[in-house]
């Protein structure tokens, strides 16, 4: 029998927690990807805001970074679309914004954004947000089990 060669269409192993980043700027996507992969998170970069929803549905990320200012559909519109999908009801959506105006915050809350991150994208800020929302909320089962075990063993 011939040795099994892995077929090129197999999707890469998904690293969890998986963070999605919807951003039209290549430079920003590369910065974000580098920060996340170095911190051992999975990362899905989405360039086209029109493809954001189908790609997010395909990957089901644990947290979504959304650039506010993009061609065609902006961060508010995409956030509103994401919130209409039941599997993303509790997924943290972080809006990346260059202008930290009060109007933005009100509108973002209305479309269901979880939080903000002011640009430029800086490693400490990104990882602080990811740790705040991902490690606490989306993985409660495994975490609480191991915590319980740790407490009972002392």
């Amino acid at each position: 029998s011939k040795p099994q060669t892995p077929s090129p269409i197999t999707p890469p192993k998904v690293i969890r927690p998986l963070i999605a980043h919807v951003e039209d700027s290549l430079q920003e996507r590369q910065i974000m990807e580098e920060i996340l992969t170095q911190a051992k998170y999975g990362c899905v970069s989405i360039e086209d805001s029109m493809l954001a929803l189908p790609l997010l549905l395909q990957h089901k990320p644990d947290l979504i970074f959304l650039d506010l200012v993009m061609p065609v559909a902006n961060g508010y519109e995409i956030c509103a679309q994401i919130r209409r999908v039941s599997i993303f009801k509790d997924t943290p959506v972080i809006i990346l914004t260059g202008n930290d105006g009060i109007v933005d915050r009100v509108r973002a809350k209305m479309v269901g954004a979880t939080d903000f991150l002011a640009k430029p994208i800086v490693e400490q800020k990104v990882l602080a947000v990811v740790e705040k929302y991902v490690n606490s909320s989306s993985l409660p089962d495994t975490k609480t089990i191991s915590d319980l075990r740790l407490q009972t063993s002392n």
Side-chain angles (χ1 to χ4, degrees):
S1 65
K2 282 196 295 202
Q4 282 285 308
T5 50
S7 82
I9 22 185
T10 332
K13 185 182 162 302
V14 174
I15 302 170
R16 293 272 169 196
L18 182 65
I19 315 299
H21 181 213
V22 184
E23 164 71 74
D24 57 303
S25 149
L26 173 64
Q27 191 186 3
E28 307 258 340
R29 287 201 312 278
Q30 287 171 334
I31 295 169
M32 182 68 90
E33 206 162 314
E34 192 170 313
I35 292 170
L36 293 170
T37 29
Q38 283 184 338
K40 303 283 182 280
Y41 290 106
C43 179
V44 178
S45 284
I46 300 170
E47 178 182 5
D48 186 341
S49 58
M50 296 308 287
L51 297 175
L53 204 58
L55 286 167
L56 291 169
L57 282 165
Q58 183 187 333
H59 293 286
K60 300 180 184 57
D62 300 293
L63 181 142
I64 300 165
F65 281 111
L66 265 185
D67 185 30
L68 183 57
V69 183
M70 289 184 289
V72 194
N74 68 28
Y76 298 128
E77 292 160 352
I78 297 170
C79 187
Q81 291 173 7
I82 289 168
R83 288 296 181 228
R84 287 190 205 109
V85 179
S86 58
I87 61 163
F88 293 135
K89 188 167 55 59
D90 302 316
T91 305
V93 176
I94 313 300
I95 289 191
L96 295 163
T97 162
N99 44 357
D100 209 22
I102 189 85
V103 190
D104 289 358
R105 291 184 174 276
V106 173
R107 191 168 166 199
K109 283 281 171 262
M110 285 170 63
V111 294
T114 312
D115 207 343
F116 289 89
L117 194 57
K119 287 181 174 182
I121 295 172
V122 183
E123 186 176 5
Q124 289 103 320
K125 290 199 290 185
V126 167
L127 296 179
V129 168
V130 171
E131 279 156 26
K132 177 177 173 184
Y133 291 106
V134 168
N135 299 349
S136 55
S137 61
S138 67
L139 312 165
D141 322 346
T142 49
K143 202 162 179 261
T144 42
I145 292 166
S146 58
D147 285 355
L148 288 172
R149 228 179 270 137
L150 290 172
Q151 284 157 3
T152 49
S153 61
N154 315 355

